[in-house]
Amino acid sequence: MSNIPETGRTQRVQIRLIVIQVLVFSLLLTLGGRLWYLQIRNGQEYSDEAKNNHVQQVVQPAARGSILDARGVPLADNETRLVVSASRTDLMKMADDGKAVLTRLAGVLDMKPKDVFDKVRLCDAKTPQPCWNGSPYQPIPVTDEATTQQALTIRERAEDFPGITAEPTAVRRYPAPGKANTAQVLGYLSPVTDEEITKAQDSDSPYLRSDMVGRSGLERTYDKELRGKAGVTRYEVDNLGRVIGQAKNDEAEAGASVVTSIDARVQAVAEYELNEAMKAARKEFDTNTGENYKADSGAVVVMEAKTGRVVSMASLPNYDPNSWVGGISAKDYAELTGKNSNFPLLNRAIQGQAAPGSIFKVISSTAAVNAGYPFDGHYPCPSSYSIGGQTFKNFESQGYGDITIGRALEVSCDTVYYGIAHKEWQKDGGNSPKKNPNDWFYKTAHQFGLGKETGIDLPNEVSGRVPDRQWKKDFAKANHDAWCKQGKKDGTYVEKIAYENCLEGDKMRAGDSVNYSIGQGDTLVTPIQMATIYAAISNGGTLYDPTVGKAIVSGDGKTVQEIKPKSHGKLPFTQKTRNEIDEALAGVATRGSAAWRFGGWPQDKIPMHAKTGTAEVYGKQTTSWFATYTKDYTVVMTISQGGTGSGASGPAVRNIYDALYGLDATGKQDLKKALLPTPQKGLPKIGTDGTIDAPTIKPYDPASQKPPAEQTLAAVLGRRD
């Protein structure tokens, strides 16, 4: 038992508690002071430092999917090149905006300093190409053709080239297999813009600043599928840019490949034959203008008749889509868009509009039957047809007596259609139309799909024009003042027309109706529209949406999404009328206006059907049209300012068919030489790793399909259809 008094113990405990309280209070005071120091006195400093600790994204671009032909041959794919790029953000931080660095870079790349400056400047309304129309915050490619030595020089002397990178990068390639250019169908790429990035932020396929975007053709239509998904690694970095941790990593997903219905071999044939036809036309003399035909542009479409799938689509003039890769030069841009370029970026198969001439008569024939005129009835085909003081002539003023509508199609008799159209105009009230006129000829054209897009899976298709009563009223309202200002009763031809239009430009006149019945006047069509129509006649009447895409294959090959043919309507005729038109078009190829182009054709084995057309255009030379079909294919060709239908386009169309079916000049078939005797049905073989087998392709050899000796353009003079 302790001898210490109880009061002593109590005092010692109290002293200890006081000491502990002082220590705790001191610690709290110290901690509070430190918190005040950090949050109040130096709070802004540490807040600023914290803000500089942020996340940086490193983007690994996804490999863009390939565009393949129907057999797996690449029409557009990727290749690795050494790309030199400049960071505009880094350059703008320099006192001279990076001019010294870019000048040194130009010396290494063997380029002019101005060309390098132009590459990295930003595009706006006043800045001509070349310029950068993508995001200013992403690296801007200066060249994608750097040599290994140039890339090493830039990397080894990094202190001389701040903001400049040189590294292997996958870039787009358009290999033109077998010389099949296919430019307007494929399209091209250019950098994504800030506006596009903003618009796509909330979509299921947002853009990254490094993305390249399809600007036309299939590259644009299937951009989302082809683009894939870029990989993004997110790093936490401090204010000095030092990595302090990894936040998140998203793996890149390769883009899907698009298998098309294009056959590169047939595409090469179509491009070659169209070009040869245009070159041949330029050697021929046009007696109407006193000079050779200009043949300044043209297009051809080869389509599967039973599906609407496009086997070939060629447009001239064309261009090299590779010129857009890595940024287009000023010279190339001027050649593609300048006043003297003749606008090769246009796909004239879907954007070229012209009066159709006599290939329109299948529509007029259907309209006549639907209006109550028997197909096998007899109608006068005089050499000319007069309305008031105006005379409308048959070409060469040739008459055939009383003939059927079928025979009128075969020999392309204009006056038969003039007579029927004039009668229908009178029935509808003439110059004082009924409240609800029948307008059979205009109604039927709309039912055939004219005046609107076909729905092809290519961007910027135009609709053409059916100049019906409503169009006349709208057009007159828009142009009335200009007509009245320009018109003169006794002036030039143009002034007289303006004078008449000033008085009654909103009325459907007799002359308008008869001209329209043979595909002249204000009617405008595109080659793809007419190919769709003739394919429908071939297959029994079904109008298909033309398609180029056939299937979408995921990057790993595990998912295949087939693009199946879709119909958008039926032609407005009975099966009987269809068969009668079909027989008449066979007659065009065997005994009518196109017979001289199909000498030796095996009609008993591969029935050929055709219609020729020569459209007159005021102030220009005639437009050549040739529309044809078999049970398998439809081929439609047009040449602007090229002359007659069978004359200018006929030999080329015949040669395309010969290549498809493997026919020689006498009509003998060799299936070993046939490129595509029947349409391609299946898809190319897809490997388990997503690779697609691609057969080799040889350039087209025209000598293997020699046209008949009599098919020379010199024999064309004087022929219209």
Side-chain angles (χ1 to χ4, degrees):
M1 186 172 184
S2 174
N3 296 322
I4 299 174
E6 187 66 28
T7 56
R9 290 179 181 174
T10 302
Q11 289 176 346
R12 285 197 294 272
V13 170
Q14 290 176 342
I15 293 171
R16 289 173 183 170
L17 289 174
I18 292 171
V19 171
I20 292 172
Q21 288 174 349
V22 170
L23 288 174
V24 171
F25 181 77
S26 299
L27 289 172
L28 290 173
L29 185 64
T30 302
L31 181 60
R34 183 60 178 168
L35 288 173
W36 175 86
Y37 179 83
L38 292 174
Q39 294 185 5
I40 306 300
R41 180 174 179 179
N42 286 2
Q44 187 61 44
E45 176 185 345
Y46 287 106
S47 176
D48 292 341
E49 288 186 12
K51 289 179 181 177
N52 289 326
N53 290 340
H54 57 277
V55 175
Q56 287 280 15
Q57 293 188 158
V58 177
V59 177
Q60 298 86 37
R64 192 172 178 87
S66 298
I67 301 176
L68 311 170
D69 88 340
R71 301 190 307 146
V73 177
L75 301 173
D77 57 8
N78 308 301
E79 65 178 348
T80 301
R81 296 186 192 175
L82 285 172
V83 177
V84 176
S85 302
S87 169
R88 183 178 174 83
T89 303
D90 290 344
L91 295 175
M92 291 300 101
K93 293 178 182 178
M94 302 175 191
D96 63 349
D97 294 334
K99 290 183 179 179
V101 172
L102 294 177
T103 300
R104 286 195 294 272
L105 180 63
V108 172
L109 298 177
D110 296 325
M111 296 174 66
K112 296 178 181 179
K114 181 181 182 303
D115 292 340
V116 177
F117 297 154
D118 289 349
K119 287 266 190 176
V120 301
R121 64 184 177 177
L122 301 181
C123 292
D124 57 32
K126 298 180 180 179
T127 304
Q129 288 282 351
C131 57
W132 179 250
N133 68 345
S135 171
Y137 302 107
Q138 71 184 86
I140 301 174
V142 176
T143 181
D144 60 7
E145 297 179 343
T147 65
T148 303
Q149 185 58 49
Q150 289 170 338
L152 287 173
T153 299
I154 294 168
R155 300 190 71 154
E156 289 173 356
R157 295 167 48 195
E159 68 279 2
D160 292 333
F161 299 101
I164 306 299
T165 57
E167 54 190 18
T169 306
V171 298
R172 204 60 165 164
R173 180 181 74 123
Y174 301 94
K179 297 185 177 180
N181 176 270
T182 331
Q184 293 93 345
V185 174
L186 295 172
Y188 58 91
L189 305 175
S190 71
V192 67
T193 64
D194 281 349
E195 182 180 359
E196 289 169 327
I197 291 174
T198 301
K199 286 183 178 179
Q201 280 179 346
D202 297 328
S203 70
D204 61 348
S205 182
Y207 290 118
L208 296 174
R209 294 193 182 281
S210 60
D211 281 336
M212 299 293 284
V213 181
R215 295 299 178 196
S216 68
L218 295 171
E219 293 279 28
R220 176 173 169 181
T221 300
Y222 297 102
D223 180 73
K224 179 180 175 182
E225 292 82 1
L226 290 164
R227 186 162 24 100
K229 184 180 179 181
V232 179
T233 302
R234 298 168 181 85
Y235 294 101
E236 294 179 2
V237 297
D238 61 17
N239 63 318
L240 297 178
R242 295 172 299 196
V243 176
I244 59 177
Q246 182 173 322
K248 191 178 180 182
N249 183 25
D250 296 331
E251 294 292 334
E253 296 178 10
S257 291
V258 175
V259 178
T260 71
S261 54
I262 297 289
D263 187 297
R265 302 167 302 170
V266 181
Q267 180 71 22
V269 173
E271 290 178 5
Y272 177 88
E273 292 297 343
L274 176 61
N275 187 52
E276 289 298 302
M278 291 170 63
K279 286 175 12 183
R282 295 185 196 117
K283 298 177 182 178
E284 297 303 321
F285 187 74
D286 180 8
T287 56
N288 293 322
T289 62
E291 57 183 349
N292 284 11
Y293 287 105
K294 293 182 175 64
D296 52 1
S297 63
V300 60
V301 176
V302 182
M303 180 187 289
E304 293 180 8
K306 292 183 176 67
T307 64
R309 288 190 170 120
V310 176
V311 178
S312 169
M313 178 180 284
S315 176
L316 289 177
N318 61 10
Y319 66 97
D320 181 3
N322 289 296
S323 62
W324 291 90
V325 176
I328 192 167
S329 69
K331 179 182 177 182
D332 288 342
Y333 189 78
E335 290 178 353
L336 295 180
T337 62
K339 292 181 179 179
N340 298 322
S341 67
N342 202 12
F343 309 109
L345 294 178
L346 285 177
N347 183 348
R348 286 171 165 83
I350 65 171
Q351 296 173 298
Q353 303 180 105
S358 290
I359 66 169
F360 184 81
K361 288 174 181 173
V362 293
I363 298 168
S364 296
S365 298
T366 302
V369 173
N370 290 348
Y373 299 84
F375 194 87
D376 55 358
H378 286 79
Y379 309 92
C381 176
S383 60
S384 63
Y385 190 90
S386 296
I387 300 175
Q390 193 172 5
T391 300
F392 298 84
K393 294 183 178 180
N394 260 346
F395 189 70
E396 296 180 335
S397 300
Q398 185 173 0
Y400 290 89
D402 285 356
I403 60 176
T404 64
I405 291 177
R407 182 60 177 161
L409 271 176
E410 290 181 11
V411 299
S412 209
C413 175
D414 292 340
T415 51
V416 166
Y417 296 97
Y418 291 154
I420 296 175
H422 188 207
K423 287 179 181 178
E424 283 305 299
W425 176 80
Q426 290 173 325
K427 288 181 181 179
D428 285 333
N431 287 323
S432 301
K434 299 186 299 185
K435 184 177 181 180
N436 294 305
N438 289 318
D439 283 341
W440 281 108
F441 282 79
Y442 302 99
K443 182 191 300 182
T444 303
H446 284 296
Q447 292 171 330
F448 267 73
L450 297 184
K452 60 184 177 182
E453 295 88 350
T454 63
I456 190 171
D457 56 342
L458 292 174
N460 302 318
E461 180 188 7
V462 298
S463 61
R465 182 169 68 206
V466 176
D468 54 21
R469 294 181 192 274
Q470 187 59 51
W471 178 85
K472 288 280 288 183
K473 291 177 181 178
D474 295 341
F475 190 67
K477 183 178 180 180
N479 293 278
H480 181 266
D481 293 344
W483 286 335
C484 294
K485 185 176 181 179
Q486 181 186 19
K488 292 182 181 179
K489 186 175 182 179
D490 298 318
T492 63
Y493 174 78
V494 173
E495 290 170 338
K496 288 180 180 178
I497 294 296
Y499 176 78
E500 293 177 6
N501 284 335
C502 174
L503 296 177
E504 51 180 17
D506 61 338
K507 290 185 178 181
M508 185 66 71
R509 294 168 291 197
D512 296 324
S513 292
V514 299
N515 240 349
Y516 167 81
S517 71
I518 63 164
Q520 293 287 168
D522 294 311
T523 306
L524 292 176
V525 302
T526 64
I528 194 65
Q529 286 176 325
M530 299 313 295
T532 302
I533 287 171
Y534 275 80
I537 297 173
S538 172
N539 68 41
T542 301
L543 289 163
Y544 283 103
D545 295 356
T547 52
V548 182
K550 194 173 183 181
I552 298 170
V553 182
S554 62
D556 57 11
K558 295 179 180 178
T559 304
V560 179
Q561 178 186 347
E562 188 176 355
I563 302 169
K564 296 184 178 180
K566 294 181 181 179
S567 167
H568 61 261
K570 291 276 190 178
L571 293 183
F573 50 35
T574 64
Q575 189 62 38
K576 178 176 181 294
T577 301
R578 179 266 165 194
N579 292 342
E580 290 171 331
I581 291 176
D582 181 74
E583 184 179 348
L585 295 177
V588 174
T590 56
R591 56 182 179 270
S593 57
W596 67 304
R597 287 307 187 199
F598 288 103
W601 182 266
Q603 191 72 9
D604 56 334
K605 296 180 180 179
I606 310 172
M608 173 61 66
H609 306 77
K611 188 70 196 80
T612 54
T614 305
E616 297 173 357
V617 183
Y618 178 76
K620 292 186 176 183
Q621 296 168 313
T622 54
T623 301
S624 168
W625 284 94
F626 203 42
T628 61
Y629 66 81
T630 62
K631 63 181 177 62
D632 304 303
Y633 302 106
T634 294
V635 180
V636 172
M637 181 178 286
T638 183
I639 300 176
S640 171
Q641 302 198 91
T644 66
S646 61
S649 301
V653 171
R654 169 69 187 263
N655 290 345
I656 292 171
Y657 276 115
D658 285 347
L660 281 167
Y661 288 111
L663 300 171
D664 64 15
T666 65
K668 184 179 179 180
Q669 188 175 34
D670 184 350
L671 291 176
K672 292 181 180 179
K673 292 184 178 181
L675 298 182
L676 208 60
T678 57
Q680 180 84 21
K681 291 184 178 180
L683 296 174
K685 185 178 179 181
I686 303 169
T688 55
D689 59 351
T691 58
I692 298 177
D693 286 348
T696 57
I697 177 173
K698 298 179 180 178
Y700 169 54
D701 178 13
S704 64
Q705 276 96 19
K706 293 182 180 179
E710 71 272 13
Q711 291 186 9
T712 59
L713 204 59
V716 174
L717 296 179
R719 286 184 185 257
R720 174 177 180 176
D721 292 320

